[in-house]
Amino acid sequence: MALLRVRHCRALLYCRRVPPRCPACGGDLRGPAGLSAAPARLPCPFRHGHGQPRAFLIRPSRGTFLLDYDGHCDLHVGITNSQGVVYNYDQEGVHRDGSGWEQCISVALVQPDMWELLQQWDNLLEEFSLEEAWLPESREASRYLTLHQQLAHRDFYIVPLAEQEQEQESVAGNQSLLE
């Protein structure tokens, strides 16, 4: 349902349906008050991300802006190709989503007069998503954040080593003792 704005009695009234009387002054809102008092529909800032080609998208990590976002939750970002497929990254790696971005903030990245970039956009985005050079930095940051968050509330954080890593640690430790 749309959000409406009505100007009346030196105030702005926001509502979903215009009431018969102004809640501020009690005056009639349905009568002939002129064009300045006519309800104005507020444009919704959220877009269907899959219909926004070559755009930077922002949405809550969980749920939707209108139903779940409280201003304190994490946000998730993605970039669309020319067909509206959203390339995004999380702890599991790069994803290409054809759904799930139906309510998001959209910022156009490529202007219509950038003909050469328009033609190459999909190939460049796909190539970038397949490169592994930037993945270690992302994983390193994720591990660092996990450690930082764990150590913010306690003095130490223990991560058990896999059996193979324990053997490598033992060999390396024995070698350093011998040197």
Side-chain angles (χ1 to χ4, degrees):
M1 186 181 274
L3 298 180
L4 304 173
R5 179 182 63 216
V6 180
R7 184 182 302 266
H8 191 265
C9 69
R10 296 186 186 179
L12 293 175
L13 167 65
Y14 293 94
C15 54
R16 294 194 184 275
R17 290 182 206 169
V18 179
R21 301 213 162 274
C22 175
C25 72
D28 186 13
L29 289 177
R30 305 232 177 184
L35 192 56
S36 65
R41 183 179 185 167
L42 299 179
C44 181
F46 306 113
R47 301 286 175 259
H48 191 294
H50 300 288
Q52 308 293 315
R54 301 173 196 95
F56 178 78
L57 305 178
I58 305 167
R59 70 168 171 83
S61 293
R62 291 187 192 93
T64 66
F65 276 111
L66 294 175
L67 295 177
D68 307 296
Y69 189 67
D70 63 1
H72 301 288
C73 301
D74 289 336
L75 295 174
H76 195 58
V77 298
I79 297 176
T80 57
N81 68 8
S82 64
Q83 304 301 310
V85 173
V86 181
Y87 286 67
N88 61 96
Y89 178 84
D90 65 13
Q91 64 273 18
E92 296 172 6
V94 176
H95 301 277
R96 292 160 194 80
D97 295 337
S99 63
W101 294 77
E102 289 75 20
Q103 189 186 99
C104 58
I105 296 169
S106 175
V107 178
L109 292 175
V110 182
Q111 301 304 317
D113 62 346
M114 301 172 120
W115 178 251
E116 189 173 323
L117 186 54
L118 288 171
Q119 298 304 310
Q120 297 177 17
W121 183 260
D122 289 355
N123 290 337
L124 292 171
L125 188 58
E126 184 63 25
E127 284 177 30
F128 177 74
S129 74
L130 295 174
E131 288 184 14
E132 294 188 23
W134 61 278
L135 289 177
E137 288 82 9
S138 296
R139 288 184 185 138
E140 184 178 322
S142 178
R143 281 187 231 135
Y144 187 89
L145 285 172
T146 299
L147 291 172
H148 175 77
Q149 291 165 351
Q150 292 295 325
L151 292 172
H153 303 290
R154 53 181 68 115
D155 292 333
F156 55 87
Y157 177 66
I158 299 172
V159 177
L161 292 175
E163 201 170 302
Q164 182 181 4
E165 289 180 64
Q166 287 177 0
E167 290 173 12
Q168 290 172 350
E169 285 282 321
S170 295
V171 170
N174 290 338
Q175 286 178 348
S176 66
L177 290 174
L178 296 174
E179 294 174 354

